């Protein structure tokens, strides 16, 4: 049974750095072909893909947010960590981690965490 | 502004058939990349509905009332035999070679009348 769970701060001040952890079970990120992504959704708005890390430690980022994002994995803990610097109120959103199945250019998100709401406000 | 364009809303009566379009460009759908569909019920995480370009690629538990298709730079999700429980937001997703990453549509809210 595949599960993912996001954890991190619910409230941040502008300019602070966000660190989110995705703890997963039911698969191993050291297995060839496995990937985990971060996706966010501002209140009432659409989904936005942020970043992906694969079993080979290759990392991919949204071009619009690339300078602010960093993704890493701890295979021994079955965790993926996302950091986003210089947070702004427009970054207020529910942040999801999701497992991607398939190749990077054809993959789909087959399992999602429940999401964690991050609010940026002074 | 999302890379993939979806109508903001569609509606239909119980039992009817509705379609939701997803329009892209030559760097995503038009380049032949697969299109996937998700259903998001209010207050919950998105759920994979259709994956790949084949109508039959549905995760276990997704009824065959849901099907996908693709042509040129567009894709469509069709829902037949509409039920009240289908009322949700629907998103398409693909890959964009110019952006080198996954892209989502703006989402479509389905209302069952």
């Amino acid at each position: 049974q595949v599960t993912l769970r996001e954890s991190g701060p619910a409230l941040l001040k502008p300019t602070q750095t966000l660190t989110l952890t995705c703890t997963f079970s039911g698969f191993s990120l050291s297995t060839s072909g496995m990937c985990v992504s971060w996706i966010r959704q501002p209140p009432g708005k659409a989904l936005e893909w942020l970043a992906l890390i694969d079993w080979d430690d290759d990392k991919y980022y949204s071009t619009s947010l690339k300078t602010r994002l960093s993704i890493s994995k701890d295979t021994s803990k079955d965790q993926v960590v996302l950091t986003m610097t210089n947070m702004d109120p427009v970054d207020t959103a529910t942040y999801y981690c999701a497992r991607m199945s398939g190749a990077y250019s054809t993959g789909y998100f087959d399992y999602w965490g429940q999401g964690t709401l991050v609010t940026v406000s002074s | 502004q999302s890379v993939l364009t979806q109508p903001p809303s569609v509606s239909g009566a119980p039992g009817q058939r509705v379609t939701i379009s997803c329009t892209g460009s030559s760097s995503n759908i038009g380049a032949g990349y697969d299109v996937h569909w998700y259903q998001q019920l209010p207050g919950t995480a998105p759920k994979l509905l259709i994956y790949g370009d084949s109508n039959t690629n549905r995760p276990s538990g997704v009824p065959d009332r849901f099907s996908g298709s693709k042509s040129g730079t567009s894709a469509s999700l069709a829902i037949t035999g509409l039920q009240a429980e289908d009322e949700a937001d629907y998103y398409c997703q693909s890959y964009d070679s110019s952006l080198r990453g996954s892209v989502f549509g703006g989402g479509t809210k389905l209302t069952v009348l």
Side-chain angles (χ1 to χ4, degrees):
Chain A
Q1 178 189 3
V2 174
T3 65
L4 303 99
R5 186 183 76 253
E6 306 86 353
S7 58
L11 182 63
L12 283 175
K13 296 185 186 306
T15 76
Q16 287 186 323
T17 294
L18 170 67
T19 299
L20 293 172
T21 300
C22 175
T23 303
F24 56 87
S25 64
F27 67 98
S28 173
L29 202 40
S30 59
T31 300
S32 177
M34 288 297 165
C35 309
V36 171
S37 258
W38 285 94
I39 296 153
R40 72 178 179 179
Q41 184 174 37
K45 296 189 178 181
L47 300 166
E48 179 184 17
W49 176 77
L50 299 177
L52 177 144
I53 189 165
D54 70 13
W55 80 99
D56 206 23
D57 210 34
D58 291 323
K59 302 164 186 176
Y60 304 88
Y61 298 100
S62 163
T63 54
S64 62
L65 293 167
K66 186 173 185 177
T67 59
R68 298 173 54 205
L69 293 173
S70 178
I71 191 169
S72 63
K73 65 181 172 73
D74 185 332
T75 305
S76 65
K77 294 183 179 178
D78 286 340
Q79 291 181 333
V80 171
V81 175
L82 179 77
T83 61
M84 180 181 292
T85 61
N86 195 26
M87 293 292 283
D88 182 272
V90 299
D91 296 314
T92 294
T94 296
Y95 287 75
Y96 296 100
C97 63
R99 187 182 82 165
M100 174 177 264
S101 282
Y104 178 54
S105 62
T106 60
Y108 49 89
F109 304 106
D110 56 355
Y111 290 93
W112 296 65
Q114 64 186 17
T116 185
L117 176 61
V118 177
T119 301
V120 184
S121 174
S122 54
Chain B
Q1 195 79 350
S2 300
V3 173
L4 304 178
T5 300
Q6 298 180 233
S9 63
V10 297
S11 62
Q16 284 190 332
R17 177 181 186 270
V18 296
T19 61
I20 297 172
S21 62
C22 174
T23 302
S25 67
S26 58
S27 61
N28 42 69
I29 300 175
Y33 294 110
D34 288 351
V35 179
H36 319 293
W37 291 90
Y38 302 85
Q39 178 192 60
Q40 187 176 33
L41 297 171
T44 69
K47 166 191 159 185
L48 180 64
L49 206 58
I50 300 280
Y51 59 96
D53 293 340
S54 170
N55 291 352
T56 60
N57 288 341
R58 289 181 297 273
S60 174
V62 175
D64 59 6
R65 300 187 295 105
F66 294 89
S67 63
S69 63
K70 188 176 82 170
S71 178
T73 58
S74 294
S76 290
L77 173 71
I79 310 172
T80 58
L82 207 55
Q83 300 180 3
E85 66 201 50
D86 299 333
E87 191 160 285
D89 293 326
Y90 293 84
Y91 292 90
C92 58
Q93 175 243 324
S94 186
Y95 175 83
D96 190 283
S97 57
S98 296
L99 299 173
R100 298 184 183 182
S102 290
V103 289
F104 285 95
T108 298
K109 182 175 181 58
L110 168 62
T111 300
V112 180
L113 303 171

